[in-house]
Amino acid sequence: MRTATGAPRRVLSAGVAVAAVGAGAFAFAAGARAEVQPVTFQLRDLVIQPGESERPLAPGGGVYGIADGTWVFAVSAKPLTDAGAALELPAGLSVKVGAGSGSSACAAVAGSVGVYSCDSTPPNVYSSPLIGASDAAKDGTVAYYGAVFVPRGGSVADAVAGVKTSGSRPADGPASVQAARITVETPDHVARNTLRLTTPDLPAGGTVTQQVQVHAVDPGKLQLFFESAAGQPSWPSFPTSVGVKVADATAAPAGSCRHVTSELNSPTTIIWCDLPAGDSTVSYTLAAQPELVSWKVDVRAEYQVLTWGAGNPEAHGTFAFLGTTPVPTASPTATPTDPGTTPDPTATPTPTVPEPPDPTTAAATVTVTATPAPAGSPSATTAAPAALRPGGGDDGTLASTGADDLTPTLGGGLALVSGGLLTLVALHRRRGTHRRRRAHH
């Protein structure tokens, strides 16, 4: 699965990694492992509703590096820009540590009101305080939070002092110190963000431009999903083609969009756009192959304002693929194996006998792992990292500008595999021996 995006990317395939393994490469790998990579991370602005409780403050934009040490968090009613300012929470908000998912490794820092420390031991690197809003929390209530990571053996006391001014640091990309905000919004406030869809039909072999008109009271992320409409047979499972792709997606007068370049039946969001507050128009073009199955399609647009839970504004539209082949005959919940074929219910199934494997053919499995590099380094990945909890909109979709959907994107260092190489060498020898024996006979 590919995504179209304007950010440059650095990719390294497993084949290149294995090919690079040699006598000199092993020495390089040993030296690279000896270096300690700084831990960087991204915080994100959070939007919660009154009555929402125990939401984690852990980095929602990703953690880069081996986070073995201590997280230090601060939460305040005022921006974290003054080391001497008292840290107090606004009315209606509360912080919880020492209990609940993700906060059991956290405790309040003695002598520093509003500051909390959390033990971080891989793979459990997302320990954090929990934020909550009471039913009485007022719409528009804002709090500020920041975080600093301290490697094992580092000075927690220095981090306690540094986190109180974390709001003075720029928040452009991953960093070792970051700050963000928490906003309370009532359901009535969220509902003031509205969407309107325009979805004309798509002809076989042609293109069509559809639009979403967004009236945004708050900045947020627009996401678009496509699926077969109610009463229609389900689309075939990915990667079976339905013959339609997104050709482009843009936002005007401001905002940025990305889109998946695989078929519309990819099991993910197809288009997502980051939009500022104000009125925006998101336009996207669908392109169809000449041979197209007729289908009625539901498109769902969701404008994600809230970080968690239901209540984000949505809009739905239905349009048609004006295909050259009728829609398959099947129950609404069935998944046809071929969108251009109508199953014959009277036909007798023919058993499938698997072909015997070719003794000269074998496959080697190579596992490639890497630790992402910090932002700004020559090998750093530039696309936004995947979110690790639902609701934030960073949905974990792989982004690539290359031609191979299966090429892994590695954030730092050269992944070198010694065991895989030895396995491939042994396999080559066995295959060569087998061919010589067959020639002898």
Side-chain angles (χ1 to χ4, degrees):
M1 175 173 54
R2 308 187 192 105
T3 58
T5 176
R9 301 193 55 89
R10 182 177 295 271
V11 296
L12 178 66
S13 70
V16 173
V18 173
V21 178
F26 286 116
F28 170 80
R33 284 195 297 269
E35 297 179 3
V36 177
Q37 177 182 321
V39 173
T40 60
F41 58 93
Q42 284 186 296
L43 299 182
R44 59 178 175 173
D45 291 340
L46 308 177
V47 180
I48 60 178
Q49 298 185 82
E52 200 163 357
S53 63
E54 299 188 4
R55 296 302 190 181
L57 296 179
V63 174
Y64 303 84
I66 300 174
D68 183 18
T70 303
W71 292 102
V72 177
F73 290 87
V75 188
S76 173
K78 297 180 179 179
L80 296 166
T81 56
D82 183 357
L87 304 186
E88 298 178 354
L89 281 175
L93 293 185
S94 61
V95 173
K96 184 177 181 181
V97 294
S101 175
S103 71
S104 57
C106 301
V109 174
S112 295
V113 177
V115 181
Y116 311 89
S117 66
C118 304
D119 183 71
S120 176
T121 303
N124 300 315
V125 300
Y126 287 93
S127 299
S128 76
L130 304 178
I131 191 75
S134 70
D135 292 333
K138 294 183 178 180
D139 182 60
T141 299
V142 175
Y144 301 85
Y145 75 110
V148 176
F149 181 77
V150 184
R152 190 75 62 189
S155 174
V156 174
D158 288 347
V160 170
V163 76
K164 294 180 180 180
T165 59
S166 56
S168 302
R169 307 292 184 94
D172 185 16
S176 57
V177 179
Q178 281 215 339
R181 67 168 60 195
I182 306 154
T183 305
V184 177
E185 293 189 4
T186 63
D188 287 344
H189 178 115
V190 176
R192 289 161 55 195
N193 298 275
T194 59
L195 309 174
R196 183 167 59 88
L197 275 163
T198 303
T199 55
D201 295 339
L202 173 63
T207 62
V208 69
T209 297
Q210 301 182 345
Q211 290 185 333
V212 188
Q213 303 289 336
V214 182
H215 174 67
V217 176
D218 307 283
K221 184 181 293 292
L222 177 70
Q223 297 200 355
L224 288 164
F225 309 82
F226 296 81
E227 60 185 352
S228 54
Q232 296 278 290
S234 298
W235 278 354
S237 300
F238 179 84
T240 303
S241 171
V242 296
V244 177
K245 293 183 178 182
V246 178
D248 60 59
T250 59
S256 61
C257 294
R258 290 183 291 169
H259 63 88
V260 173
T261 59
S262 304
E263 300 288 339
L264 290 191
N265 59 334
S266 302
T268 182
T269 309
I270 299 297
I271 300 170
W272 58 105
C273 304
D274 292 304
L275 301 177
D279 292 325
S280 300
T281 299
V282 171
S283 303
Y284 57 93
T285 301
L286 303 179
Q289 296 178 0
E291 299 296 327
L292 182 67
V293 177
S294 296
W295 230 298
K296 289 185 179 179
V297 181
D298 178 73
V299 53
R300 177 171 67 89
E302 178 181 348
Y303 189 59
Q304 293 191 337
V305 176
L306 300 169
T307 307
W308 294 282
N312 285 313
E314 291 189 7
H316 292 260
T318 301
F319 67 101
F321 293 168
L322 304 178
T324 55
T325 305
V327 66
T329 301
S331 67
T333 57
T335 301
T337 56
D338 181 355
T341 304
T342 301
D344 182 0
T346 64
T348 301
T350 302
T352 301
V353 180
E355 292 291 335
D358 184 345
T360 66
T361 302
T365 300
V366 179
T367 302
V368 179
T369 60
T371 302
S377 68
S379 59
T381 260
T382 56
L388 301 175
R389 288 181 303 279
D394 295 328
D395 51 16
T397 304
L398 293 177
S400 172
T401 55
D404 184 357
D405 287 340
L406 301 180
T407 300
T409 300
L410 306 182
L414 179 62
L416 302 176
V417 184
S418 60
L421 178 64
L422 296 177
T423 302
L424 292 175
V425 170
L427 174 63
H428 175 74
R429 289 176 177 173
R430 288 198 300 270
R431 293 173 61 182
T433 301
H434 180 77
R435 286 194 293 268
R436 287 195 298 270
R437 287 175 179 173
R438 292 184 61 181
H440 175 75
H441 289 298

